[in-house]
């Protein structure tokens, strides 16, 4: 039998039988709001780098923090959905403005860094998100404690490196941070699914604090 004669059912790649239809709709809203934040943040970075209409600094950071606090304080309901989306978009815009100086530095060193970083990040996010979606439910939730411990270790080592100035410790933190962020994609994706299965359909502001998975 020639294996190359077999037909590949590409529709099966988009079917997640272990995820309920309502949760799949919730995931679509989550990724749609995420895409919105990316575009708005890119617009904020463009405003800083090209037009210089808004400068990054303390005011943009405080503004982003204030919008985040307002978003967290606004209750989730159908009536407040548009308001919360606006707060989220404002937070993303000011965050993009805050990234302006870093983008300017990358452009000054090598402009090809930006598209390379974007493509690499998009590929990593897509691959690890699909891995979490196709995996068995809750199979990656155990990573939560490990990832938070790794974040604490990175924070302490970064503070210590302010005094040591070790390039090796800097490189270790850099690559460890990449691994931790990949792990968070797996963990957060399955956490969003699990929370949605238990009735939390807040796609604008998903929080993981205080959530304890329950039995089926």
């Amino acid at each position: 039998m020639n294996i190359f004669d077999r037909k590949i059912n590409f529709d099966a790649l988009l079917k997640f039988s272990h995820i309920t239809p309502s949760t799949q709709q919730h995931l679509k809203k989550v990724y749609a709001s995420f895409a919105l934040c990316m575009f708005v943040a890119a617009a904020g970075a463009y405003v800083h780098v090209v037009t210089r209409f808004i400068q990054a600094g303390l005011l943009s950071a405080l503004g982003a923090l204030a919008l985040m606090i307002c978003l967290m304080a606004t209750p989730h309901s159908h009536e407040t959905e548009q308001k919360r989306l606006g707060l989220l978009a404002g937070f993303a815009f000011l965050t993009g403005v805050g990234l302006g100086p870093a983008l300017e530095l990358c452009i000054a060193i090598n402009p090809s860094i930006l598209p390379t970083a974007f493509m690499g990040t998009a590929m990593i996010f897509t691959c690890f998100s699909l891995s979490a979606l196709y995996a068995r439910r809750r199979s990656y939730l155990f990573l939560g404690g490990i990832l938070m411990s790794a974040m604490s270790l990175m924070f302490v080592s970064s503070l210590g490196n302010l005094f040591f100035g070790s390039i090796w410790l800097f490189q270790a933190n850099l690559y460890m941070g990449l691994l931790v962020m990949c792990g968070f994609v797996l963990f957060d994706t399955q956490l969003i699914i699990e929370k949605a299965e238990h009735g939390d359909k807040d796609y604008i502001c998903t929080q993981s604090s205080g959530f304890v998975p329950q039995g089926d």
Side-chain angles (χ1 to χ4, degrees):
M1 181 179 180
N2 189 353
I3 61 174
F4 296 102
D5 292 336
R6 296 180 179 178
K7 294 182 179 180
I8 301 177
N9 185 7
F10 290 99
D11 293 335
L13 296 176
L14 302 177
K15 293 181 179 179
F16 307 99
S17 58
H18 60 291
I19 303 177
T20 61
S22 62
T23 300
Q24 293 185 33
Q25 292 297 321
H26 173 69
L27 287 173
K28 291 180 181 178
K29 293 181 179 180
V30 170
Y31 289 119
S33 62
F34 176 72
L36 172 65
C37 288
M38 286 189 59
F39 284 116
V40 174
Y46 178 85
V47 167
H48 172 81
V49 173
V50 178
T51 68
R52 297 298 184 92
F53 181 73
I54 300 178
Q55 294 293 322
L58 181 61
L59 290 179
S60 63
L62 291 177
L65 179 62
L67 289 174
M68 182 181 66
I69 294 175
C70 291
L71 175 61
M72 302 288 288
T74 305
H76 168 57
S77 65
H78 181 71
E79 290 76 15
T80 61
E81 182 177 0
Q82 296 298 324
K83 176 184 177 181
R84 298 176 80 241
L85 276 175
L87 291 172
L88 180 64
F91 170 77
F93 181 83
L94 292 179
T95 301
V97 172
L99 290 175
L103 296 180
E104 284 182 323
L105 179 60
C106 291
I107 294 172
I109 296 174
N110 188 353
S112 65
I113 293 176
L114 296 183
T116 302
F118 176 77
M119 294 301 298
T121 303
M123 289 179 61
I124 291 174
F125 179 81
T126 301
C127 292
F128 280 87
S129 295
L130 289 176
S131 297
L133 291 173
Y134 282 110
R136 183 171 52 87
R137 274 184 59 184
R138 306 179 185 175
S139 58
Y140 290 118
L141 292 184
F142 75 95
L143 291 175
I146 299 174
L147 294 172
M148 292 306 299
S149 298
M151 288 284 289
S152 300
L153 178 61
M154 289 172 56
F155 177 74
V156 173
S157 62
S158 296
L159 289 180
N161 203 33
L162 294 177
F163 302 97
F164 299 119
S166 171
I167 186 64
W168 298 104
L169 188 56
F170 174 79
Q171 292 287 346
N173 269 337
L174 183 65
Y175 290 106
M176 184 177 179
L178 176 61
L179 293 176
V180 169
M181 291 303 107
C182 291
F184 268 116
V185 174
L186 294 172
F187 171 75
D188 288 336
T189 302
Q190 289 210 333
L191 185 61
I192 291 172
I193 294 174
E194 199 63 28
K195 291 174 67 176
E197 293 287 347
H198 287 81
D200 186 355
K201 297 301 175 68
D202 182 9
Y203 66 93
I204 298 175
C205 183
T206 54
Q207 302 177 61
S208 59
S209 59
F211 177 77
V212 179
Q214 303 174 1
D216 289 327

